[in-house]
Amino acid sequence: DNVIIKEKNGILDIIFNRPDRKNAINRDMFEKLLNILKDSQSNPNLKAIFLSGTGDAFSAGGDVKDMAQSNDNATLQQKTISLRRIMEVSKLLHENSLPTIAVVNGVAAGAGLALALACDMRIASEKARFTTAFSKVGFSGDFGGSFFLTKIIGTAKARELYYFSDIIDADTAFQLNLVNFYKKDEEMDEFTDFIKDKFRNLPPIAIKYMKQNLNNAESQDLDSLLNDEATFMMICSETEDH
């Protein structure tokens, strides 16, 4: 499969599996991601979602050749609607009630970078490389990368990385707060398992509402946020976990 799905002890692993193409994501893969992420919302056994790639890459981005071939006879409007539909993957990662974590073991470029940014947290190996890539191929950017990058590292630096498409390494990404952790290659599996265990031991209902609070903080005014915080706290107070 071009997308491998594993579920174990409350952790859902979604793994891009086109190592010969640096895990470039084609339309079929985006469709699978849409379905997987929608289904995850109704799975009561899950505690977190981890997104990663096989081989030496996270994802080199959208498979532009595949997209072009599938839209050969489409109008501009049809192409726009089609792209917007699969871009919902970023929203599902960001707004999923479960914590989402990207494990970046190599290149994360273009749409691949955007999907990593849509996640709540990022773990990077020392071999990780990040680039928006779009200006190098005459594109303006998609999958919410401009939204997430601006939120995470600030508008001036985000514009620099978009305009110039510079490639940054794991250490630079860590200094920019682009990644939460970065580890040596040989430490990645053990550290990722450590983070998975931390999520397994967290109270799922409280974490669900905590993520909602943090997402709301990006757009709500303080009064609205305080109202929701009060409601969610009282809901959590009735749970067995509390």
Side-chain angles (χ1 to χ4, degrees):
D1 281 349
N2 49 24
V3 179
I4 298 171
I5 307 301
K6 296 179 181 179
E7 183 182 337
K8 182 179 179 181
N9 297 334
I11 300 299
L12 180 66
D13 277 301
I14 302 174
I15 307 165
F16 302 133
N17 189 36
R18 292 181 79 199
D20 56 317
R21 298 295 305 278
K22 299 291 185 184
N23 296 320
I25 310 170
N26 59 26
R27 182 165 293 278
D28 177 59
M29 294 168 72
F30 279 123
E31 294 290 348
K32 288 178 181 177
L33 287 171
L34 284 171
N35 291 328
I36 294 161
L37 292 170
K38 288 174 182 176
D39 290 345
S40 70
Q41 293 285 61
S42 57
N43 187 335
N45 300 315
L46 294 179
K47 295 286 191 77
I49 297 172
F50 280 69
L51 193 64
S52 61
T54 57
D56 60 356
F58 176 76
S59 173
D63 189 330
V64 179
K65 185 181 293 186
D66 172 78
M67 300 291 178
Q69 289 172 347
S70 63
N71 284 325
D72 271 349
N73 299 313
T75 65
L76 181 60
Q77 183 181 27
Q78 289 170 330
K79 292 176 183 178
T80 302
I81 292 170
S82 177
L83 176 60
R84 176 61 185 89
R85 179 179 173 278
I86 60 173
M87 283 168 63
E88 199 72 6
V89 169
S90 294
K91 186 177 179 182
L92 289 171
L93 283 169
H94 183 60
E95 296 186 357
N96 198 300
S97 60
L98 297 165
T100 53
I101 300 89
V103 182
V104 183
N105 61 316
V107 65
L113 173 62
L115 295 186
L117 296 176
C119 293
D120 296 324
M121 297 167 57
R122 283 150 296 284
I123 304 168
S125 83
E126 61 185 349
K127 292 183 180 178
R129 296 294 182 268
F130 304 86
T131 177
T132 58
F134 293 110
S135 69
K136 296 289 179 67
V137 291
F139 274 141
S140 53
D142 55 12
F143 284 87
S146 53
F147 174 87
F148 298 118
L149 194 60
T150 299
K151 294 283 187 183
I152 294 167
I153 68 172
T155 184
K157 196 66 180 180
R159 289 167 195 246
E160 175 191 329
L161 294 182
Y162 260 88
Y163 294 157
F164 301 139
S165 291
D166 291 333
I167 298 171
I168 61 173
D169 60 19
D171 182 64
T172 303
F174 182 73
Q175 299 302 322
L176 290 172
N177 293 324
L178 192 63
V179 300
N180 299 78
F181 315 97
Y182 85 98
K183 298 291 176 179
K184 293 180 179 179
D185 250 22
E186 61 269 23
E187 299 173 339
M188 280 292 285
D189 289 344
E190 182 179 356
F191 184 76
T192 300
D193 287 341
F194 167 72
I195 296 296
K196 287 178 179 179
D197 284 339
K198 285 176 74 85
F199 277 107
R200 288 187 179 105
N201 292 316
L202 293 174
I205 297 173
I207 294 300
K208 169 186 173 181
Y209 287 117
M210 189 179 293
K211 178 165 179 176
Q212 185 64 58
N213 285 336
L214 293 165
N215 281 350
N216 288 347
E218 295 177 344
S219 58
Q220 278 188 349
D221 60 72
L222 181 57
D223 277 336
S224 299
L225 183 64
L226 292 173
N227 291 339
D228 284 342
E229 281 188 340
T231 300
F232 298 158
M233 279 288 280
M234 291 303 97
I235 291 173
C236 289
S237 75
E238 301 292 322
T239 65
E240 185 178 343
D241 283 327
H242 173 65

